Amino acid sequence: MAEVVEFRVPTGSAQMLLVWGLEPEPGLEHSLFSAFSKFGPLYSVRAHRNAAVAGPGYYAIIKFYSAGDASRAQHTCNGQRLFQKSPLKVCVCTKQKGFQQQALALNSNKCQELANHYLGFNGWSSRIITLQNVSGFDGENEELGKTLQKRSVKYLCAVEVTLPNHGVRTRGVALGEADIENGEDPLEFVTATRRVQKLAVGKALSSAFQKILLVVLENGKVAVEYNSTQEELTDSLTEEELKGLVQVSELSLEQSDREEEEVLSDLSFDDELPSREMPSN
C-alpha cells in the first residue's frame, strides 16, 4: 500500500514508537537514533527518565515521518537488545481519543533532510526569486522627554523549489521580521538584517515544500504529487509579476504566515543564504 509523506511535523500515533526498558548510558539518544534511523528518516528522538513509581531506567518516544517505517522498526526491534545488555520493549503509540494536534510545517532544515532522503540530493533544487527589504519604523515612544525610535527590519522572500525528475515546481513566499532596540548601533543592525534575511528565506523554502506530497510506493519508489489544497496565486505568476506583487502588497504575510516548528534552528550567521541550484552536467 502506498503511503503519503508530507513536509509537516508527524502527529499520527502510527508514526510514533514508545521504547522502554532502556538502561542509562551516555549518548542514549544518539544510540537510539543510530539504531532506528536504519528503518527510515526520523523527525525526533526523545529519551526521558522513568517516573519514580516505574522504577529506575528510561523510556523514549521516537517519531518517524512514515508509519510504514515505524511499523517495520517496531516488529524488528521489539525484544531485541540492540545496543544494551537487556532486551528493549517497543510498541506503536496508542492514539489519544479526543485530542487532535495541529500539524505544523517542518522548518527548512528538516524539509531539506526529508527531500534528500526520498528524492536524492540531486533530485531537487531551490533558488531565491526575490529577497526584498520592506523595513520601516513601527512607531515612536517618548521617555524622559526624549523621542526613541524602534526600528523594525523586515524582508520578504520568494523561493522556488523544482523537482526536475517529476516535473513539479512550487513557490513559497514568507516574511522575516525583527525589532532593533538600538537603531543607532550599526553592528546590531547588520546582525539583525542577516538574521531576518535567513529567517525569510528559510520560511519561504518551507512554504514551498508544503505544496509537495511524497507518495512512497510498496517497492520503495517515490512518486510526487502537487498538493492542490496549498495552491496559491504565487504559483501561477511570472517572476516579474511575483516581484511586483511582493513589493506592492506584501501579500498580507503578517496574517497568513504558516507556523513552523523550531524555525529559529535554521539560523546561523556563519552560513550563506540556503539556496540550491542543480549541478551542471
Side-chain angles (χ1 to χ4, degrees), residues 199-211:
L199 177 61
V201 173
K203 291 173 70 176
L205 182 60
S206 173
S207 176
F209 273 114
Q210 302 313 301
K211 303 169 188 176

Side-chain angles (χ1 to χ4, degrees), residues 106-113 202-203 205-206 260 266 274:
L106 290 178
N107 68 41
S108 61
N109 283 344
K110 290 188 179 293
C111 285
Q112 292 175 83
E113 291 175 2
K203 291 173 70 176
L205 182 60
S206 173
E260 285 190 49
D266 290 351

Side-chain angles (χ1 to χ4, degrees), residues 139-159:
E140 298 181 350
N141 295 317
E142 293 187 0
E143 182 180 357
L144 300 178
K146 295 181 179 180
T147 301
L148 302 177
Q149 289 182 323
K150 179 184 287 187
R151 189 168 187 179
S152 176
V153 180
K154 296 181 182 181
Y155 273 83
L156 276 170
C157 181
V159 168

Side-chain angles (χ1 to χ4, degrees), residues 43-62:
Y43 172 73
S44 65
V45 176
R46 297 288 185 266
H48 307 275
R49 188 186 302 272
N50 288 343
V53 295
Y58 286 77
Y59 71 95
I61 301 294
I62 300 176

